Amino acid sequence: METKRIAVIGAGVCGLVSIKSCLEEGLHPVCYEQNNDIGGVWVYSEALRPNQGSAVYECLVTNSSKEMTCFSDFPMPRKTPPYVPHATYLQYLRDYAQHFTLYPYINFNTTVVSVSKAEDYATTGRWEVRTRNNDTGQENVVIFDGVMVCSGMFKDATIPDYPGLDEFEGITMHSNAFRSGSKFTDKNVLVVGGAHSAGDISVDSSRFASQVYLSMRNGTWVIPRLGFGGIPSDMMGNTRFVSKLPAAIREFMVTNLASSKVNHDKAGLQSKAKSFFKGCQMVNDEIGSRIYCGKIQAKPAITRFTKSGAEFEDGSRVEDIDVVIFATGYHLGYKFIDNSIIADSHKDLELYEYVFPARLKHCTLAVVGCVAILGANVPVYELQARWAARVFSGKAKLPGPTQRVLEVRRRQKQTLEDYGRYKTYVPPVPLQEYYAKQIGAQPRILSLLLSDPKLAFKCLFGPAYPTTYRLHGPGSWHGAKKSIEEAWDNVISSIRTRSVAKEKHSNSIILKLFIVFTLVLVIVMHWI
């Protein structure tokens, strides 16, 4: 039987895991990358590259800890800090591609012009991919058995249309053009937005600017990278056990963590959404202190701009603004494919389980990375790629178009009821567990309880490390167990550069056993 050829569009995180997943399933990937390097948005450039959406800036570090954001069978080096600077993460991607010999499958400086159904799609499910060589301008058309769209869901920057904005005489820019706050020394800067990049840009600019103002339409929930006891927040919250708890308990846990580091009300950050999961979130460790020392002032939504400043919905005004930076997100961007297949709005986007266009007759096209995660993105995207490759190889099946569309409609209705708008922003663990189940890679907890109780305990109550999806099933990795056992030490080893004496504390063995028994009982009751 002839090996199926799969087009992989993009060589960022999603593209790399897709190439590797295809190889694991005996498929032949052909990747097209419009730039001359892998890494996608993780490649730092002073200038905004053509067709680029989001971009990294000098101060950027990962929002998720290294053990939660690494690939499932390629742990980060012990020397890597718990939260990873963008240049270090890019090198990690290059090491990954080198280790698994992915480079030979990548065609650099090649833009995908269009993806459309081949003439024989109705019977074969094949696709016609038109590409253009960026150096020569030569176009080429190739027929593929499947396509994995990995180019990133955000391309076109969104700048809201405010009254008076066209009359404002200062500098206006989107956050994708921001590189360093040092460029705004002694300036008055207004940042618009309430999510991660708005916080990063405000904090970095506040080190150099005369004054920074942060305008938020609905406020935000600020989550610190470090949780209680110095444990990375995502390692505390993104566990299988926590994901099984009632929503009210999870809400209580995360809001208490947020409130323990920042008094949102006093700092002017308070979200209009009383529920954490329904509001805007910002991962940031410093914005509270920068507000408390006066370098950042939180402001409500903008009502209009003047020639030199802005007015806000509480009636206040700020004049002498030199720079306005809009950290206001992006539109969906898959311009090389028809909107009827991948829509350009969340309202019309019909992706079955965020991966497969629901209405297609043949499940031979998958979108990897078209979902925002309240936590680490990489493990979710990798499982999406593994699932898609398994479907392409015929080893995993999907329901028919009618059932797929019904499921999309159900999810859209639920999202609209929960959030009042269409969005693709979900917690990682339930989605990871779903994908893993589809490919047979979910950790076999009950089996582990008998064969390796300690490992079972780590999988149940510890962080849902990406490596746990390499313990069993297709693509299992012999180093998975060791990686899980050493994960916490790997987090600490890079920062413990000074030896100190540890005070030993005695604990009741009876209390420990009681806690373990209770938690296991709860899990057994709710797990299956």
Side-chain angles (χ1 to χ4, degrees):
M1 184 176 179
E2 187 175 347
T3 301
K4 291 183 178 180
R5 287 166 51 84
I6 309 297
V8 177
I9 303 174
V13 169
C14 296
L16 295 178
V17 294
S18 294
I19 297 170
K20 181 175 178 291
S21 297
C22 284
L23 295 173
E24 287 179 338
E25 293 298 332
L27 306 170
H28 180 77
V30 179
C31 178
Y32 298 109
E33 167 55 49
Q34 65 180 352
N35 298 301
N36 60 4
D37 195 2
I38 67 168
V41 297
W42 290 99
V43 178
Y44 179 85
S45 173
E46 275 292 330
L48 191 64
R49 295 176 296 174
N51 302 315
Q52 183 174 0
S54 57
V56 298
Y57 31 84
E58 283 186 4
C59 68
L60 183 71
V61 297
T62 57
N63 289 331
S64 297
S65 60
K66 71 173 185 177
E67 293 298 324
M68 299 297 282
T69 199
C70 65
F71 296 113
S72 61
D73 53 358
F74 194 70
M76 292 192 190
R78 289 175 66 87
K79 65 181 179 180
T80 305
Y83 288 93
V84 190
H86 64 83
T88 304
Y89 193 77
L90 177 59
Q91 185 57 51
Y92 170 71
L93 296 181
R94 290 168 176 161
D95 293 342
Y96 176 81
Q98 188 71 40
H99 179 79
F100 290 107
T101 320
L102 305 183
Y103 279 105
Y105 300 93
I106 305 173
N107 297 279
F108 290 105
N109 294 313
T110 304
T111 298
V112 172
V113 178
S114 65
V115 174
S116 57
K117 295 175 181 177
E119 291 184 1
D120 60 356
Y121 172 85
T123 56
T124 66
R126 298 197 300 174
W127 295 86
E128 178 182 288
V129 178
R130 180 179 293 275
T131 62
R132 180 176 59 246
N133 184 290
N134 296 341
D135 297 323
T136 65
Q138 181 178 351
E139 294 195 354
N140 190 32
V141 176
V142 181
I143 303 298
F144 287 95
D145 298 293
V147 177
M148 300 178 83
V149 178
C150 309
S151 54
M153 65 189 211
F154 296 134
K155 281 293 182 288
D156 296 329
T158 301
I159 296 182
D161 185 18
Y162 290 99
L165 181 59
D166 56 342
E167 299 175 6
F168 177 68
E169 296 177 347
I171 298 171
T172 61
M173 60 189 291
H174 192 270
S175 58
N176 67 345
F178 176 84
R179 293 298 178 268
S180 173
S182 62
K183 299 183 184 300
F184 307 120
T185 299
D186 298 329
K187 304 290 187 183
N188 291 322
V189 179
L190 172 61
V191 181
V192 184
H196 311 310
S197 59
D200 287 344
I201 291 170
S202 297
V203 168
D204 191 46
S205 298
S206 73
R207 305 186 196 286
F208 307 95
S210 293
Q211 183 64 59
V212 173
Y213 304 93
L214 174 60
S215 170
M216 296 167 290
R217 183 175 55 186
N218 296 309
T220 192
W221 286 97
V222 178
I223 292 294
R225 287 180 174 84
L226 296 184
F228 300 111
I231 300 174
S233 297
D234 57 349
M235 293 177 69
M236 294 174 55
N238 292 327
T239 74
R240 291 176 177 85
F241 174 67
V242 170
S243 73
K244 295 291 183 179
L245 293 175
I249 295 178
R250 289 186 282 112
E251 182 87 39
F252 176 81
M253 293 170 62
V254 72
T255 52
N256 269 271
L257 173 61
S259 301
S260 70
K261 304 295 182 180
V262 177
N263 187 311
H264 290 71
D265 183 41
K266 288 183 172 61
L269 299 168
Q270 187 66 55
S271 173
K272 291 181 180 179
K274 299 306 179 184
S275 168
F276 172 87
F277 296 107
K278 294 182 181 181
C280 184
Q281 296 93 27
M282 174 192 295
V283 174
N284 199 287
D285 298 292
E286 300 178 75
I287 192 162
S289 63
R290 302 305 289 173
I291 290 174
Y292 267 66
C293 68
K295 295 300 293 183
I296 297 175
Q297 292 184 20
K299 304 293 290 183
I302 298 167
T303 55
R304 64 183 297 270
F305 280 92
T306 64
K307 287 186 178 182
S308 60
E311 296 179 1
F312 303 91
E313 65 178 9
D314 63 354
S316 63
R317 299 179 53 151
V318 173
E319 295 295 341
D320 299 322
I321 294 175
D322 300 296
V323 183
V324 180
I325 305 173
F326 293 97
T328 44
Y330 302 84
H331 296 293
L332 289 175
Y334 297 100
K335 295 182 179 180
F336 49 80
I337 195 165
D338 192 87
N339 277 350
S340 64
I341 299 173
I342 307 177
D344 57 4
S345 72
H346 289 288
K347 179 182 178 181
D348 301 317
L349 189 64
E350 295 184 328
L351 293 181
Y352 176 68
E353 300 299 346
Y354 306 103
V355 177
F356 295 96
R359 296 183 183 273
L360 288 179
K361 177 181 179 181
H362 299 283
C363 296
T364 52
L365 185 143
V367 184
V368 179
C370 191
V371 59
I373 304 299
L374 185 56
N377 294 313
V378 174
V380 173
Y381 297 164
E382 183 180 20
L383 285 165
Q384 286 184 329
R386 292 175 67 184
W387 183 31
R390 199 139 180 92
V391 169
F392 290 171
S393 68
K395 297 172 186 174
K397 303 297 181 182
L398 298 180
T402 301
Q403 289 178 269
R404 296 198 298 267
V405 171
L406 286 174
E407 173 56 27
V408 169
R409 288 282 175 262
R410 182 203 64 77
R411 189 186 71 228
Q412 289 176 330
K413 180 182 178 181
Q414 188 64 54
T415 301
L416 193 59
E417 290 176 357
D418 288 345
Y419 301 100
R421 60 190 175 94
Y422 296 99
K423 63 183 296 186
T424 54
Y425 198 47
V426 297
V429 178
L431 196 56
Q432 290 171 197
E433 295 288 279
Y434 174 83
Y435 294 144
K437 185 176 181 181
Q438 305 312 303
I439 61 178
Q442 210 173 4
R444 298 168 188 167
I445 303 298
L446 295 180
S447 175
L448 285 175
L449 281 171
L450 298 175
S451 62
D452 195 336
K454 188 175 180 180
L455 181 59
F457 186 89
K458 288 179 180 291
C459 290
L460 276 175
F461 305 117
Y465 298 122
T467 317
T468 58
Y469 300 109
R470 292 288 179 177
L471 286 169
H472 305 111
S476 58
W477 173 46
H478 66 87
K481 177 184 176 181
K482 182 180 180 183
S483 177
I484 295 168
E485 292 172 341
E486 295 179 349
W488 179 242
D489 187 54
N490 283 343
V491 170
I492 296 301
S493 62
S494 65
I495 59 174
R496 186 179 285 158
T497 56
R498 173 177 172 263
S499 299
V500 295
K502 288 178 61 177
E503 182 180 353
K504 295 183 178 180
H505 298 276
S506 60
N507 293 287
S508 169
I509 187 65
I510 297 177
L511 179 60
K512 285 185 175 181
L513 290 174
F514 175 78
I515 293 173
V516 170
F517 174 81
T518 303
L519 294 179
V520 170
L521 182 62
V522 170
I523 285 296
V524 170
M525 291 174 62
H526 292 276
W527 193 259
I528 299 177

